[in-house]
Amino acid sequence: MKEDVSDCWRNQPLPGEGNRTYTKEQLLGVQRIKRCKNYYEILGIESNATDEEVKKAYRKLALKFHPDKNCAPGATEAFKAIGTAFAILSNPEKRLQYDLFGDEEEPVYSNLPKHYNYYREFEADITPEEIFNMFFGGHFPTGNVHMFSNVSADPPCYPSRTRNERTWTQEEEEEESQPQNTYSAFVQLLPVFIIIIVSVVTQLMATNPPYSLFFKSTVGHTFVRETQNFQVPYYVDKHFEHNYNGEALELLEKQIEKEYIDYVQTNCRKEKQQKSELSNMATLYRDERLKQKAESLTLENCEKLSNIIEIQRSR
């Protein structure tokens, strides 16, 4: 009789190997995801695919690579990559930005083939697990609920094979388990030590600025003032008035106002983007919780920017 190897929960491992197995087909599927160069390739769709095609492709792959169904090495990371691809391509604004500029993050190792780093921390306000739960009602269709955190570790599992076969990952695991010697560990940590030393030396040599937009007791910026033009609050030390007055004070406050406007503009864009992303997700999945969260977000920095514009117009 042929042994059914389509589901890792149904395969019986060899004695001493654990309680989960995977097939070679599942491992090859994970390796295919890792070789993908863009989000469209991960989902297996064309760049002009419709929203319905994106959803259909995600549904098929999410079931195939969910850790409850696929326990091959890297399956958890592949599942996250699929969720990330869907989160980007199902959001009209993010999809347009991705089509125009691609993924802004570049691989760390320049001597390796150029691939996108799909396995970084999930950037959106919704995780791959939440996306999966929205599609399948909070649990895997087989009834096995597998809770896992947003980390790269896979659950322990083993390839489905006969008794006289040797696992193709055994040699790799043995190499990874060998302890590193002291010298190699020092060489790996040397760049970190250099960065820390340079940072400390730079801080010791740098002079403290005469002001700060925020309260900083460590450098003595504890006295609050306001600029003459836009009433921008800033903090100075107790010797500030002796060093800055007249034209010098006027030039400094112009610099303060420019820095403050740049700061609130940047944060205003972030607030609008976050609110827009949540609203789009709430509309896409008809999720009342996300809708309420989007409506409750306040655009504080955008309000500050509006106040500055009103002051400027009134003059």
Side-chain angles (χ1 to χ4, degrees):
M1 295 179 62
K2 274 190 174 180
E3 182 183 2
D4 183 6
V5 295
S6 62
D7 192 327
C8 61
W9 286 99
R10 298 180 182 177
N11 288 306
Q12 295 298 324
L14 299 179
E17 285 189 331
N19 59 355
R20 302 189 69 189
T21 61
Y22 60 90
T23 66
K24 188 173 182 179
E25 180 182 0
Q26 290 173 330
L27 181 61
L28 292 176
V30 171
Q31 293 173 348
R32 184 197 71 80
I33 295 294
K34 289 184 177 181
R35 290 194 299 268
C36 291
K37 299 179 181 179
N38 57 62
Y39 292 137
Y40 293 101
E41 189 175 349
I42 284 182
L43 296 183
I45 57 177
E46 299 294 333
S47 58
N48 60 349
T50 63
D51 291 342
E52 189 61 32
E53 290 173 336
V54 172
K55 292 180 183 178
K56 184 177 179 181
Y58 169 77
R59 182 185 297 272
K60 179 180 178 181
L61 291 175
L63 288 172
K64 184 177 180 181
F65 287 92
H66 191 282
D68 279 349
K69 181 72 175 179
N70 189 331
C71 57
T76 299
E77 296 299 329
F79 178 75
K80 291 184 200 174
I82 294 167
T84 301
F86 176 77
I88 297 298
L89 300 183
S90 63
N91 185 312
E93 294 181 3
K94 280 186 171 290
R95 182 173 180 176
L96 177 60
Q97 183 179 6
Y98 177 75
D99 290 340
L100 293 175
F101 306 108
D103 196 328
E104 295 180 354
E105 294 192 12
E106 294 293 335
V108 177
Y109 304 101
S110 58
N111 61 332
L112 296 178
K114 184 174 181 181
H115 295 294
Y116 286 88
N117 181 14
Y118 295 114
Y119 311 126
R120 62 183 186 273
E121 292 296 323
F122 203 73
E123 296 176 347
D125 194 54
I126 184 170
T127 65
E129 295 92 331
E130 290 175 332
I131 293 177
F132 186 89
N133 290 340
M134 289 177 182
F135 269 84
F136 304 105
H139 62 83
F140 190 71
T142 60
N144 297 315
V145 180
H146 177 81
M147 298 300 294
F148 59 96
S149 59
N150 193 21
V151 295
S152 60
D154 292 296
C157 50
Y158 306 88
S160 177
R161 57 187 177 87
T162 60
R163 291 181 178 271
N164 58 354
E165 288 180 336
R166 176 181 175 87
T167 172
W168 56 83
T169 59
Q170 184 174 348
E171 294 181 359
E172 296 178 0
E173 293 175 355
E174 291 175 353
E175 292 177 0
E176 292 176 357
S177 64
Q178 294 178 356
Q180 294 181 337
N181 56 45
T182 306
Y183 177 76
S184 62
F186 174 77
V187 171
Q188 292 179 359
L189 293 175
L190 184 60
V192 178
F193 294 147
I194 294 176
I195 293 174
I196 293 175
I197 294 173
V198 172
S199 177
V200 172
V201 173
T202 302
Q203 291 180 4
L204 292 176
M205 296 179 62
T207 57
N208 293 328
Y211 71 92
S212 174
L213 295 179
F214 308 97
F215 182 91
K216 291 183 178 180
S217 59
T218 56
V219 293
H221 293 164
T222 57
F223 298 88
V224 65
R225 293 172 58 94
E226 288 187 351
T227 61
Q228 293 294 322
N229 290 332
F230 298 132
Q231 287 76 53
V232 173
Y234 65 99
Y235 294 86
V236 298
D237 59 23
K238 59 183 178 180
H239 304 295
F240 180 81
E241 294 183 356
H242 299 288
N243 299 326
Y244 291 91
N245 51 64
E247 185 177 354
L249 178 61
E250 183 178 349
L251 292 175
L252 182 64
E253 288 193 344
K254 286 183 179 179
Q255 178 182 341
I256 294 172
E257 290 174 346
K258 182 180 183 303
E259 182 179 340
Y260 178 78
I261 291 173
D262 291 341
Y263 173 79
V264 295
Q265 281 180 334
T266 300
N267 285 278
C268 177
R269 285 194 295 267
K270 291 180 180 179
E271 291 171 348
K272 287 182 176 179
Q273 182 178 4
Q274 184 181 14
K275 193 178 185 74
S276 176
E277 289 176 356
L278 286 177
S279 298
N280 289 335
M281 281 292 184
T283 302
L284 179 62
Y285 300 113
R286 300 178 182 177
D287 191 303
E288 189 65 26
R289 179 184 64 86
L290 290 178
K291 180 180 180 181
Q292 293 176 358
K293 187 174 182 180
E295 293 175 350
S296 64
L297 288 179
T298 59
L299 307 179
E300 295 181 2
N301 286 280
C302 295
E303 293 176 1
K304 293 178 182 179
L305 187 61
S306 298
N307 293 336
I308 294 176
I309 295 174
E310 288 297 327
I311 294 175
Q312 189 174 15
R313 288 177 178 176
S314 63
R315 295 182 176 180

